[in-house]
Amino acid sequence: MTAQILNGNRIAKQLRQGIAEQTTQLIAKGYRAPGLAVVLVGDDPASHVYVSHKQRDCAQVGFHSELLHLPNDATQQQLEDAVTGLNARKDIDGVLVQVPLPDQLDAQRIVELIDPSKDVDGFHPYNLGRLAIRQPALRPCTARGVMALLEATNIPIRGLDATIVGASNHVGRPMGLELLLAGCTVTTAHKFSKNLAANVQNADILVSAVGKPGLIDGNWVKPGAIVVDVGITRDDQGKLNGDIQFEAAKQRASWITPVPGGVGPMTRLGLLQNTLQVALQQLR
Ligand code: NAD
């Protein structure tokens, strides 16, 4: 078997068009454009690239976006003032603080300061809690994006065995909650798991979010499985690599995401979907 490619670039492009159309309709009815504010602290080159992509995505669908750039030595108070100010703005639907933050800043305090109704990253405990009790509000973008990829396969996933490798607050845990909500039987493997191979071999749906290139042997993949690689690691030559040994996994899976061009564009799409969701709620 050779897997079909689950092309995040193509799927995200299609769904972005729908968002752009909804935005055009809102503006035609006299409403303002959905607005996203991103707070960036310091000069981390990767963060600058991510933020510029977010701004470009917003421009493409007709959203208003703005960047608040604080210096690397910003204090906790300065950052909290920036977030509080954005929470109060009527023209801003989504507030996002780009991570990682410089060491002097308490990132969790900042996440919890963002108004949960504007938390378009979906990382506030309120939003993670809503997902946990099966009443999702704003959903973490990567897990939301992976669910959209699974939907694009047209394979009914209720009742399937899903294994997630990685248990972070940002990716692995919300991914488990999403798949549980979708009716899968969920296993979460992590750095203390004793038998990763067996966990992978059992999976009808495999999602890896670790950040260790080649961690998952492609020969462990269950024949016919849907394989989603969230991991992205840049090697010395600048090439991006996933966690899963792609060529071997592709021989066994029914669907597989490439790296890059799989989950990354869907995460960015999730941010647009969340921002539009908040804007539509405000209008109601
Ligand atoms: P993280 O470092 O917070 O979490 C990594 C997880 O991997 C931990 O739960 C840890 O227990 C687990 N782990 C570590 N070693 C392991 C091992 N040997 N076996 C099994 N599990 C192991 O990372 P994160 O923020 O969750 O990101 C994970 C990866 O996903 C990174 O490569 C990151 O760049 C990527 N990522 C991609 C997107 C995207 O849009 N494509 C979005 C977010 C993160």
Side-chain angles (χ1 to χ4, degrees):
M1 173 183 280
T2 300
Q4 299 187 69
I5 299 295
L6 207 36
N7 184 332
N9 278 327
R10 190 176 49 74
I11 296 164
K13 188 175 173 195
Q14 269 171 8
L15 294 170
R16 258 200 321 270
Q17 271 166 8
I19 295 175
E21 280 160 22
Q22 277 182 278
T23 305
T24 306
Q25 284 166 15
L26 278 179
I27 292 166
K29 286 182 191 155
Y31 296 111
R32 63 167 173 77
L36 173 70
V38 178
V39 183
L40 174 63
V41 186
D43 301 310
D44 175 51
S47 292
H48 273 265
V49 172
Y50 292 139
V51 167
S52 69
H53 286 165
K54 286 167 186 168
Q55 290 189 292
R56 194 175 66 198
D57 290 344
C58 282
Q60 268 185 5
V61 296
F63 288 3
H64 166 74
S65 77
E66 51 189 85
L67 172 63
L68 228 144
H69 191 184
L70 300 180
N72 203 43
D73 60 357
T75 63
Q76 183 76 18
Q77 191 60 52
Q78 281 174 314
L79 181 53
E80 291 188 10
D81 288 348
V83 169
T84 310
L86 293 168
N87 280 345
R89 291 256 307 267
K90 291 247 180 307
D91 58 331
I92 292 295
D93 299 295
V95 176
L96 180 158
V97 177
Q98 185 68 39
V99 287
L101 289 172
D103 289 345
Q104 77 275 15
L105 300 170
D106 181 342
Q108 189 56 30
R109 238 182 103 112
I110 296 301
V111 168
E112 295 189 28
L113 188 66
I114 295 173
D115 180 341
S117 70
K118 295 189 173 192
D119 167 40
V120 283
D121 256 341
F123 295 157
H124 192 288
Y126 172 82
N127 284 313
L128 288 172
R130 290 293 299 239
L131 186 57
I133 63 164
R134 297 178 279 178
Q135 292 177 14
L138 288 167
R139 297 154 58 194
C141 299
T142 300
R144 182 173 183 165
V146 172
M147 295 310 290
L149 282 176
L150 295 177
E151 204 178 313
T153 67
N154 283 322
I155 296 174
I157 64 169
R158 184 182 297 163
L160 296 186
D161 288 321
T163 293
I164 300 145
V165 188
S168 69
N169 289 342
H170 287 178
V171 188
R173 283 166 201 261
M175 194 67 249
L177 293 171
E178 286 280 2
L179 287 165
L180 197 55
L181 183 59
C184 294
T185 303
V186 176
T187 300
T188 301
H190 45 74
K191 63 183 171 194
F192 302 125
S193 296
K194 288 206 171 120
N195 200 345
L196 182 60
N199 296 135
V200 170
Q201 280 158 351
N202 184 52
D204 301 309
I205 299 171
L206 171 65
V207 180
S208 186
V210 175
K212 292 191 175 164
L215 173 72
I216 312 281
D217 186 332
N219 294 308
W220 296 345
V221 168
K222 183 173 176 177
I226 308 173
V227 173
V228 177
D229 199 341
V230 181
I232 317 176
T233 310
R234 197 176 285 280
D235 67 18
D236 295 342
Q237 281 78 49
K239 184 175 176 285
L240 295 174
N241 297 292
D243 296 339
I244 300 169
Q245 296 170 7
F246 180 83
E247 287 306 329
K250 192 177 157 204
Q251 299 310 314
R252 300 171 68 85
S254 58
W255 289 89
I256 189 166
T257 58
V259 177
V263 176
M266 300 302 291
T267 296
R268 287 162 57 187
L269 175 81
L271 181 63
L272 297 176
Q273 289 174 319
N274 279 347
T275 305
L276 180 64
Q277 184 178 322
V278 177
L280 293 174
Q281 266 158 8
Q282 303 278 2
L283 295 179
R284 257 182 243 129

